[in-house]
Amino acid sequence: MAAVRVLRRAVGLCRGRAASGARPAPVPQRIEEKRRAALLGGGQARIDAQHKRGKLTARERILLLLDPDSFDEYDMFVEHRCTDFGMDSSKNKYPGDSVVTGRGRINGRLAYVFSQDFTVFGGSLSGAHAQKICKIMDQAVMVGAPVIGLNDSGGARIQEGVESLAGYADIFLDTSYLFITGPDVVKSVTNEDVTQEQLGGAKTHTTVSGVAHRAFENDIDALLNLREFFNYLPLSNRDPAPVCECHDPSDRLVPELDTIVPSESTKAYDMLDIIHSIVDEREFFEIMPTYARNIVVGFARMNGRTVGIVGNQPKVASGCLDINSSVKGARFVRFCDAFNIPLITFVDVPGFLPGTAQEYGGIIRHGAKLLFAFAEATVPKITVITRKAYGGAYDVMSSKHLRGDANYAWPTAEVAVMGAKGAVQIIFRGKEADAEEEYVDKFANPFPAAMRGFVDDIIQPSTTRTRICHDLDVLASKSQSSPWKKHANIPL
């Protein structure tokens, strides 16, 4: 937090604006005064109020996110252009307006950043505010660098009317809320009584709506996690997945995986245990960990190379695919494909979740999104079936039929239309007492799929890390294209 203390000392030098009617100061002095005023934002009182709410200021967030002394600010002298409702008064003019923009580095890698300043008009978006953001976005596109937005805004600036709305079009826990209309509007339109936290709090959006991907205890925790997340990503879609130095041997065996899957097919286990055992240094950055928990997605490294992980979670709904998990998985797969990140899929799926709620909600349409995402992905795709791979859900989970590059099965894998008990009841109508054992022997094992080439090999679980690392090395030069089209037609 040393950088934050330096900022506070800097803004403490500000002694206010020149008195009205005083003789104009020399240009160098005016420049320095404007810089100091910009550092102060909406004023010390509002900065103190921000801190009392447990929140950092816009500048403090940038200094914590970026490497020390790497931030180059843009448009510090820009001010809003509104003249209505007394906005042209000098007391309503703030250098930099309600957003801080610029570029810097995270672990030495270039990033552009904007941070909305809640101390200036509640961080509301004005025409000048939008102009500043669009400028760094244009530069980021030109040089192939990411843009990170730190949002802390009350919305469009009412005093500017339609200009602030045009600005939105151009851009496009207890302290954080996100909603289209606030509680007061909801009350006036629908007569519902709802709090800000219930309507758009962190818990709502990370567990119910799926709008937010992670929630953190405070600003500092969020920004440090953002720095970690940034390390997994390429700077643009023109760059390959990042590769860093790895001290975890690629040929490391994982003996505990040989016994991790229970012998009883109905007994649950934690797919995260498998993921952590296989990836480099047991480090896995999970995305949306509290939403649609029957599927696990996130980033890890294999022999230093960034990979995207997708896995069914037997601990939740037996790992069944439903509407929310299908959409969550599809969104992640398409993200990885867009940024050249290889995909590793761990399969233990008994099928799609049955029921009228799912059917009425459009499980066929939403489930097709995950199938479409895997099918159109051209990045390296490696799939490991750990246990169940039943019915249409087997096809959806990056099967060989969806252009999978390397598909493996563990000895515990069962690739079949459905589970043995249900299949026997349908086939024999309860007339054959020993039919279930016969069905298991014929279908509930990895041999039928291996004999037909639907899996490339039946591997010992302890060798999974070694096989995946070797495959990733081979597939690093993979080149695959799809037929030309204006754009894909994913079933939205």
Side-chain angles (χ1 to χ4, degrees):
M1 297 300 290
V4 175
R5 290 194 292 271
V6 171
L7 172 62
R8 289 173 180 167
R9 287 197 297 269
V11 299
L13 296 174
C14 183
R15 294 292 184 269
R17 299 187 176 92
S20 177
R23 184 176 178 179
V27 171
Q29 182 180 337
R30 290 167 59 191
I31 292 173
E32 187 60 25
E33 288 175 353
K34 286 284 188 181
R35 289 190 187 279
R36 291 174 179 172
L39 292 174
L40 198 60
Q44 190 60 50
R46 292 177 183 172
I47 291 175
D48 293 340
Q50 184 87 337
H51 290 162
K52 286 180 181 178
R53 287 192 290 266
K55 298 164 66 177
L56 299 177
T57 66
R59 293 181 179 278
E60 289 169 347
R61 288 168 177 156
I62 288 176
L63 292 176
L64 184 60
L65 173 65
L66 300 179
D67 295 344
D69 302 319
S70 70
F71 181 55
D72 295 320
E73 185 171 353
Y74 290 6
D75 294 331
M76 179 182 275
F77 300 107
V78 167
E79 296 178 352
H80 71 76
R81 299 176 290 272
C82 182
T83 58
D84 298 322
F85 307 106
M87 291 293 287
D88 55 347
S89 170
S90 60
K91 67 178 182 180
N92 287 326
K93 295 282 189 177
Y94 296 90
D97 201 43
S98 54
V99 66
V100 181
T101 61
R103 70 179 182 221
R105 295 190 177 272
I106 298 177
N107 295 318
R109 303 170 72 216
L110 178 64
Y112 286 78
V113 63
F114 68 86
S115 182
Q116 293 175 318
D117 189 351
F118 195 81
T119 69
V120 178
F121 298 117
S124 58
L125 187 137
S126 65
H129 180 132
Q131 176 187 326
K132 290 179 65 175
I133 294 176
C134 287
K135 179 185 285 189
I136 65 163
M137 285 183 169
D138 290 341
Q139 289 211 0
V141 169
M142 183 172 60
V143 302
V147 177
I148 298 173
L150 306 177
N151 296 326
D152 191 358
S153 170
R157 189 168 301 171
I158 297 174
Q159 295 91 333
E160 292 200 11
V162 70
E163 183 177 357
S164 64
L165 295 178
Y168 267 117
D170 291 338
I171 298 173
F172 228 131
L173 291 153
D174 294 330
T175 61
S176 178
Y177 310 104
L178 183 65
F179 33 66
I180 299 297
T181 54
D184 293 340
V185 176
V186 171
K187 174 67 174 177
S188 66
V189 175
T190 68
N191 204 34
E192 293 179 273
D193 289 309
V194 63
T195 65
Q196 284 187 319
E197 182 64 32
Q198 292 169 334
L199 183 63
K203 185 176 181 180
T204 296
H205 285 314
T206 55
T207 62
V208 180
S209 71
V211 169
H213 290 71
R214 292 279 293 265
F216 303 97
E217 290 297 323
N218 50 55
D219 288 11
I220 296 174
D221 187 27
L223 293 167
L224 293 179
N225 273 275
L226 179 56
R227 283 179 61 91
E228 180 184 351
F229 172 62
F230 183 83
N231 291 336
Y232 288 102
L233 305 181
L235 293 182
S236 76
N237 64 343
R238 299 192 294 268
D239 293 339
V243 179
C244 63
E245 185 178 1
C246 178
H247 302 286
D248 193 349
S250 62
D251 58 354
R252 170 172 58 86
L253 298 179
V254 191
E256 61 265 29
L257 294 183
D258 290 337
T259 56
I260 197 169
V261 177
S263 56
E264 299 177 32
S265 63
T266 57
K267 191 173 182 180
Y269 61 95
D270 195 345
M271 185 60 76
L272 287 172
D273 291 339
I274 293 178
I275 294 171
H276 284 129
S277 298
I278 290 175
V279 301
D280 291 356
E281 310 293 348
R282 299 183 62 86
E283 293 180 353
F284 177 58
F285 193 94
E286 189 171 357
I287 302 296
M288 305 180 80
T290 57
Y291 178 77
R293 295 186 300 114
N294 42 327
I295 196 168
V296 175
V297 301
F299 297 98
R301 294 185 181 88
M302 294 294 288
N303 199 23
R305 181 182 287 105
T306 293
V307 294
I309 305 282
V310 181
N312 306 111
Q313 177 54 284
K315 286 185 65 177
V316 181
S318 300
C320 282
L321 289 175
D322 60 7
I323 291 172
N324 290 343
S325 62
S326 296
V327 174
K328 171 182 170 180
R331 176 74 177 89
F332 181 77
V333 169
R334 299 196 91 206
F335 181 93
C336 290
D337 188 48
F339 290 99
N340 310 309
I341 298 173
L343 286 161
I344 301 173
T345 306
F346 294 98
V347 182
D348 187 349
V349 60
F352 285 95
L353 186 66
T356 56
Q358 291 293 308
E359 296 294 350
Y360 296 166
I363 182 61
I364 295 175
R365 172 167 53 90
H366 293 294
K369 294 177 182 177
L370 184 55
L371 183 148
F372 191 102
F374 272 123
E376 74 168 350
T378 58
V379 295
K381 292 182 290 189
I382 301 171
T383 303
V384 179
I385 302 173
T386 61
R387 188 166 62 179
K388 299 175 185 175
Y390 292 166
Y394 149 71
D395 288 317
V396 167
M397 292 297 295
S398 195
S399 64
K400 181 64 74 174
H401 321 292
L402 300 182
R403 304 195 297 179
D405 297 304
N407 292 68
Y408 299 117
W410 284 2
T412 48
E414 304 173 16
V415 184
V417 175
M418 61 189 305
K421 185 175 182 180
V424 168
Q425 288 176 348
I426 293 173
I427 297 172
F428 298 102
R429 306 290 181 181
K431 296 179 181 178
E432 298 287 340
D434 58 348
E436 185 171 340
E437 184 178 345
E438 179 185 353
Y439 184 90
V440 169
D441 184 59
K442 285 186 176 181
F443 300 111
N445 58 73
F447 290 113
M451 291 168 59
R452 291 164 176 79
F454 298 159
V455 295
D456 298 307
D457 197 2
I458 302 172
I459 64 173
Q460 193 66 17
S462 57
T463 66
T464 303
R465 172 178 168 82
T466 301
R467 296 297 290 264
I468 292 176
C469 288
H470 289 173
D471 286 335
L472 288 172
D473 287 340
V474 172
L475 294 168
S477 58
K478 175 184 176 181
S479 178
Q480 186 178 48
S481 61
S482 300
W484 184 92
K485 49 185 172 289
K486 185 176 181 181
H487 58 74
N489 192 24
I490 188 170
L492 297 174

